[in-house]
C-alpha cells in the first residue's frame, strides 16, 4: 500500500480493520489489536485466569478440529451456549472456573480481533491484545520493550450487514487508552491518526467524568446497545471496567499467553 508511504514515517501508527493492520505492520516491533466488544476483552479475562488462548478466524468445523487436536475448550456462539460452555462473552469466561476443571487452553474464534491477530502474526510482528481493562498495563509493557522501534495500533471495528468495515467507538476508545499510556505525556512520534485516537479517548475520559463516562459511552454505543438488546448487558459491564487488569496477552507460537511469563526483545 503506497498512499504516499502512509504512516511509515511515524514511530506510532493507528489504523482500522484487517487492511489497516497490513498498513501499520511493516517494520513494527509490536502491534496492539483492540476489539473491546468483545474479542480482546474476553482474551484479557482469559489471560487473567491463566489460560492460553488460540485466536482462530472462523467458528466452523475446522475450529472444532483444532480445539480437539490441542486438547482445548472451544468457545461457542453466545446464543448456542449450554451449561458449562463458554463463548466470546467475557462474562462467561469471568464466571467460569476452567482451571479448576483442568482446562488451561481455549480456542477463541472471532471474525474481527481474532482474525486480525492471526493475520499480523503471519506478518511476523509481535501481537498484543488490548482492551479497556488492560490498556494501561499493555502500554507500559510495550513501552518498556519497544524502545525507539515502531509500534502499530489496530482498532478492529465491526461489520455492516454488507460485510464492510464499521468503525466502532469502543475500539477507538480502547486504542486511545493504549496510546494515552504510550504517550507518557508527550505523544512524540505519533502519526496524526494515532494522535486523533488518543485525544478522542482523552476527550471522552476527561469530559464525561473519567472511567464512569467511558462506561457510559460503551453502554450507549451501537455495539453496546446491540449486545444489551440480545441480553448480554454483563459483557458491556465487563468491557467497561477500565484499568482493572495487569494481564498483557501476547501472541507467541500461535497462542496468546501472559506477557509477564517470558521476555520479548
Amino acid at each position: 500500500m503506497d498512499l504516499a508511504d502512509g504512516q511509515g514515517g511515524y514511530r506510532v501508527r493507528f489504523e482500522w480493520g484487517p487492511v489497516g493492520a497490513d498498513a501499520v505492520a511493516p517494520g513494527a516491533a509490536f502491534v496492539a489489536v483492540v476489539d473491546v466488544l468483545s474479542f480482546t476483552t474476553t482474551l484479557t479475562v482469559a489471560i487473567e485466569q491463566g489460560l492460553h488462548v488460540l485466536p482462530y478466524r472462523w467458528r466452523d468445523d475446522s475450529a472444532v478440529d483444532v480445539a480437539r487436536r490441542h486438547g482445548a475448550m472451544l468457545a461457542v456462539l453466545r446464543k448456542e451456549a449450554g451449561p458449562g460452555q463458554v463463548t466470546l462473552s467475557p462474562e462467561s469466561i469471568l464466571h467460569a472456573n476452567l482451571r479448576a476443571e483442568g482446562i488451561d487452553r481455549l480456542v477463541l474464534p472471532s471474525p474481527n480481533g481474532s482474525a486480525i491477530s492471526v493475520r499480523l502474526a503471519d506478518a511476523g510482528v509481535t501481537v498484543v491484545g488490548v482492551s479497556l481493562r488492560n490498556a494501561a498495563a499493555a502500554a507500559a509493557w510495550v513501552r518498556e520493550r519497544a524502545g525507539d522501534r515502531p509500534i502499530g495500533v489496530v482498532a478492529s471495528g465491526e461489520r455492516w450487514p454488507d460485510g464492510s468495515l464499521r468503525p466502532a467507538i469502543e475500539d477507538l476508545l480502547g486504542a486511545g487508552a493504549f496510546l494515552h499510556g504510550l504517550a507518557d505525556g508527550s505523544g512524540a512520534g505519533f502519526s496524526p491518526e494515532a494522535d486523533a485516537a488518543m485525544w478522542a479517548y482523552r476527550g471522552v475520559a476527561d469530559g464525561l467524568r473519567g472511567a464512569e463516562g467511558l462506561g457510559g459511552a460503551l453502554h450507549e454505543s451501537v455495539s453496546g446497545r446491540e449486545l444489551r438488546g440480545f441480553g448480554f448487558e454483563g459483557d458491556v459491564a465487563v468491557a467497561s471496567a477500565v484499568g482493572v487488569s495487569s494481564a498483557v496477552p501476547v501472541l507467541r507460537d500461535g497462542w496468546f499467553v501472559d506477557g509477564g511469563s517470558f521476555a520479548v526483545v
Side-chain angles (χ1 to χ4, degrees):
M1 180 180 292
D2 190 322
L3 294 182
D5 295 326
Q7 299 175 51
Y10 295 95
R11 187 178 67 85
V12 181
R13 315 153 186 173
F14 168 75
E15 267 300 348
W16 285 93
V19 178
D22 295 343
V24 300
F30 299 90
V31 178
V33 174
V34 186
D35 186 356
V36 170
L37 294 175
S38 298
F39 172 73
T40 53
T41 297
T42 305
L43 171 64
T44 302
V45 172
I47 296 299
E48 289 168 11
Q49 297 191 5
L51 301 177
H52 290 190
V53 178
L54 180 74
Y56 203 71
R57 289 183 173 94
W58 304 283
R59 176 62 177 87
D60 57 13
D61 289 342
S62 68
V64 175
D65 292 339
V66 166
R68 183 180 299 115
R69 189 162 67 247
H70 289 288
M73 173 171 279
L74 174 63
V76 302
L77 297 175
R78 281 182 171 96
K79 296 179 181 179
E80 296 178 357
Q85 290 184 303
V86 297
T87 73
L88 189 59
S89 157
E91 189 177 37
S92 75
I93 304 291
L94 190 65
H95 296 318
N97 194 7
L98 300 181
R99 293 301 298 268
E101 299 171 15
I103 297 167
D104 62 0
R105 294 186 173 193
L106 177 68
V107 176
L108 195 58
S110 155
N112 298 312
S114 189
I116 290 170
S117 297
V118 173
R119 187 178 184 122
L120 286 166
D122 289 345
V125 302
T126 298
V127 181
V128 179
V130 173
S131 65
L132 284 169
R133 293 177 69 87
N134 76 331
W141 190 94
V142 170
R143 190 173 65 241
E144 179 182 346
R145 290 159 178 79
D148 294 330
R149 294 180 294 170
I151 301 166
V153 183
V154 180
S156 299
E158 295 293 340
R159 297 286 170 181
W160 291 111
D162 67 0
S164 61
L165 175 70
R166 175 175 70 79
I169 188 174
E170 67 272 11
D171 295 341
L172 178 65
L173 295 174
F178 175 79
L179 289 161
H180 170 74
L182 276 186
D184 200 21
S186 68
F190 279 36
S191 71
E193 290 79 4
D195 249 343
M198 178 181 68
W199 282 105
Y201 161 78
R202 288 179 176 177
V204 172
D206 294 343
L208 295 174
R209 300 182 305 283
E212 179 185 345
L214 289 167
L218 259 65
H219 190 266
E220 293 303 324
S221 68
V222 171
S223 302
R225 285 186 283 115
E226 180 183 40
L227 282 175
R228 291 192 290 115
F230 287 131
F232 297 106
E233 185 160 356
D235 287 349
V236 182
V238 174
S240 301
V242 179
V244 299
S245 179
S246 61
V248 182
V250 180
L251 193 54
R252 188 185 192 201
D253 298 328
W255 293 82
F256 276 107
V257 297
D258 184 358
S261 65
F262 65 94
V264 172
V265 296

